[in-house]
Amino acid sequence: DRYEAADGVHVFEPTLLADVPQDARIVDEEQFGPVCAVTTFGDDDEALELANRSDLALDASVFTADYDRAMEMADRIEAGAVRINGAPSHGLGDIPFGGNQDSGIGREGLDKTIEEFVREKSIIL
């Protein structure tokens, strides 16, 4: 549902879409709003295929109580960042942030910001 906030700004209510077909556009496209599309999968390989099939790869999350499974899935997901058992935490400033493939414009974060302001130079005597 969309409503008009102050100064003519349009805002969308947080929305959860359940039972979304795997071939729906929203499964593969980045959402710049409070929208979550939930789809189903049969096994870990199918979940990885879904996660990695898009040319966008900003953030992902893995939810499981199995540590080894979580680490394997996080390693195999091609996103710029993978959060285990929580919402993506990009933009905190203490860890590099940015997407892979066609997602984002590189990396940012405290260390990346410092790199932009520093010029390396070697002086040999």
Side-chain angles (χ1 to χ4, degrees):
D1 231 359
R2 185 177 79 156
Y3 66 92
E4 189 170 333
D7 299 323
V9 175
H10 293 280
V11 179
F12 283 87
E13 292 285 336
T15 304
L16 175 68
L17 303 174
D19 301 319
V20 176
Q22 288 183 3
D23 60 350
R25 282 181 46 192
I26 196 166
V27 173
D28 294 315
E29 295 180 357
E30 291 178 325
Q31 303 308 309
F32 293 95
V35 179
C36 179
V38 178
T39 191
T40 59
F41 56 89
D43 58 24
D44 289 355
D45 288 333
E46 186 179 357
L48 287 164
E49 182 181 327
L50 282 168
N52 293 333
R53 76 178 181 195
S54 174
D55 61 348
L56 303 171
L58 187 59
D59 281 314
S61 294
V62 173
F63 291 88
T64 179
D66 183 331
Y67 173 84
D68 292 331
R69 181 179 183 209
M71 295 305 291
E72 179 183 354
M73 295 295 283
D75 185 52
R76 294 175 62 194
I77 292 173
E78 297 170 2
V82 179
R83 176 75 177 249
I84 297 173
N85 295 329
S89 58
H90 62 271
L92 295 179
D94 59 343
I95 57 174
F97 164 67
N100 292 336
Q101 300 180 41
D102 290 338
S103 202
I105 55 171
R107 292 284 187 261
E108 54 187 271
L110 183 58
D111 62 331
K112 299 301 178 186
T113 302
I114 291 171
E115 287 176 14
E116 290 296 317
F117 288 98
V118 175
R119 181 176 64 137
E120 292 183 28
K121 183 177 189 178
S122 298
I123 299 175
I124 297 105
L125 294 174

